[in-house]
Amino acid sequence: MCTVERSSFLPGSGKGMLSVRLWEEDGDFPFVNSAWPDPSGATFFSGPVTGAVYESVGWALLPERCWTTKPVFVKVSPGKSASGAGALAALTTDVARAVADEAACGDLPGEPGTLLPPRSDAACPVSEGRACGLDGFSVRDHVPADTEVLESGQSAPADLWSCTLFLDNDSRDTVRAEGFMTYAASRDPLLIAAVRRSPGASEGDAPGGGKADVVARTRIVLPCAQGALYLAAEPRAQYLEARKRKSGIPAWETYFGSFVKAATKTFDCGTATH
């Protein structure tokens, strides 16, 4: 961990503290680690640099030559809200480039690639049969009746993508803010290489048939003719509450199979080379 006091490290931010941390982590932590902000609110970037920024924190994945036993990430915290996702993404990328240069383990550009922001600032009602923007994807039969379902996330398909579903019900604010279920997908080669380093990852079966690299029950990497595709689903606080309140809410693995079917089509993995 390194903390630096600096003036104007981001345009319009004035004087503040910049905190930089390097750490080893499972490759898909941004999607499955609840200690981090909801990924559906992230602005991702992929390509020359892999990473994401939230309101006041960003992360970037260092090149594979920088890893030892596990993938290595850099976390950048300006200490106060930045003046926009673009400025924080540029700062996060520049810090990652400097770290990789210092360690002589990879060449990164000073600027991120195309930014992949959420579709909207607030969650919006889902379109029936097209939840999360995935054709043929519906959760209506697996949520409490007469409850409106909202969604938030980036546009699909994208190299880094996520979607969180929320129930518009009487949950406590803290529970409601966490959402019902988070889905994630990635075609980013570096992130997929990081996921494949996860402990316990092994060859197994994908929902609906075919082979996949299985990281956990609802975290897999599919082989596709166009390149590997990572898919994941994670239950959130509203799901856990709904299971306690209502009968008939299925096990959370149920939500994964229909997602995989829709996502493989939207993300052009229909010609998977199993």
Side-chain angles (χ1 to χ4, degrees), residues 16-221:
M17 303 294 292
L18 172 63
S19 175
V20 176
R21 177 193 174 203
L22 291 178
W23 86 108
E24 293 184 326
E25 181 62 272
D26 290 343
D28 54 356
F29 86 90
F31 303 118
V32 301
N33 188 333
S34 60
W36 275 75
D38 179 2
S40 71
T43 294
F44 292 112
F45 45 94
S46 177
V49 187
T50 299
V53 294
Y54 306 88
E55 183 178 356
S56 58
V57 65
W59 63 264
L61 178 56
L62 294 185
E64 199 163 356
R65 286 196 287 124
C66 302
W67 310 349
T68 52
T69 57
K70 299 180 71 172
V72 179
F73 292 83
V74 59
K75 174 184 177 182
V76 176
S77 304
K80 62 191 297 186
S81 295
S83 59
L88 184 51
L91 174 65
T92 301
T93 298
D94 190 53
V95 170
R97 177 197 56 77
V99 170
D101 283 352
E102 179 67 23
C105 61
D107 297 321
L108 295 177
E111 295 286 337
T114 301
L115 299 184
L116 306 168
R119 287 176 290 167
S120 63
D121 293 334
C124 302
V126 302
S127 298
E128 182 56 36
R130 204 170 187 274
C132 293
L134 306 179
D135 288 335
F137 185 40
S138 175
V139 296
R140 172 46 54 196
D141 293 338
H142 300 318
V143 299
D146 302 322
T147 301
E148 184 175 24
V149 182
L150 309 176
E151 65 182 25
S152 178
Q154 302 77 28
S155 295
D159 287 342
L160 288 169
W161 173 90
S162 66
C163 175
T164 295
L165 298 180
F166 302 84
L167 302 183
D168 189 10
N169 62 12
D170 60 353
S171 297
R172 300 189 316 274
D173 289 346
T174 53
V175 172
R176 185 167 176 162
E178 268 208 39
F180 182 78
M181 192 75 59
T182 291
Y183 299 97
S186 177
R187 299 183 299 198
D188 183 271
L190 186 60
L191 187 131
I192 288 174
V195 169
R196 283 174 163 155
R197 288 279 193 104
S198 299
S202 61
E203 186 175 292
D205 297 322
K211 296 299 181 182
D213 292 330
V214 178
V215 180
R217 287 178 296 174
T218 58
R219 296 156 58 194
I220 63 174
V221 177

